Amino acid sequence: MTTPLYVLYELLIRLTELDPMIGDFHAHKQIENGAIIRTNNGSLNVPKHILKKQFSSPSEVTEADLKQLVNEFKWST
């Protein structure tokens, strides 16, 4: 399943509310187990189960899920 682009944007908006330094959407790539979101400051691997929850029922993506994604953000060097 290809994730609609708006799902990635919505997720990124939620993540930047926790850490504005994550930055703005730059590009993305669908991968077998989810998606890679690239921002102007780095990249983030988002698991498929998080993308599915964000698509079908965003309220099921918990703050703990979001904080884990923020902590796994890979900063550009």
Side-chain angles (χ1 to χ4, degrees):
M1 173 186 131
T2 300
T3 305
L5 191 56
Y6 75 88
V7 173
L8 303 175
Y9 271 97
E10 288 174 351
L11 187 58
L12 189 58
I13 288 168
R14 295 178 72 185
L15 294 170
T16 57
E17 288 174 353
L18 292 176
D19 186 349
M21 293 305 296
I22 286 177
D24 298 322
F25 183 88
H26 181 70
H28 78 285
K29 179 180 180 180
Q30 297 287 321
I31 56 175
E32 185 176 331
N33 59 350
I36 298 171
I37 300 174
R38 289 188 172 82
T39 71
N40 56 319
N41 290 329
S43 66
L44 181 65
N45 290 344
V46 184
K48 190 180 292 187
H49 74 277
I50 298 288
L51 295 173
K52 286 182 179 181
K53 286 197 283 188
Q54 181 66 35
F55 176 73
S56 62
S57 184
S59 63
E60 290 183 18
V61 179
T62 66
E63 186 163 340
D65 291 330
L66 297 171
K67 285 181 179 179
Q68 182 175 353
L69 290 173
V70 167
N71 289 336
E72 294 172 357
F73 185 77
K74 295 178 179 95
W75 298 93
S76 296
T77 55

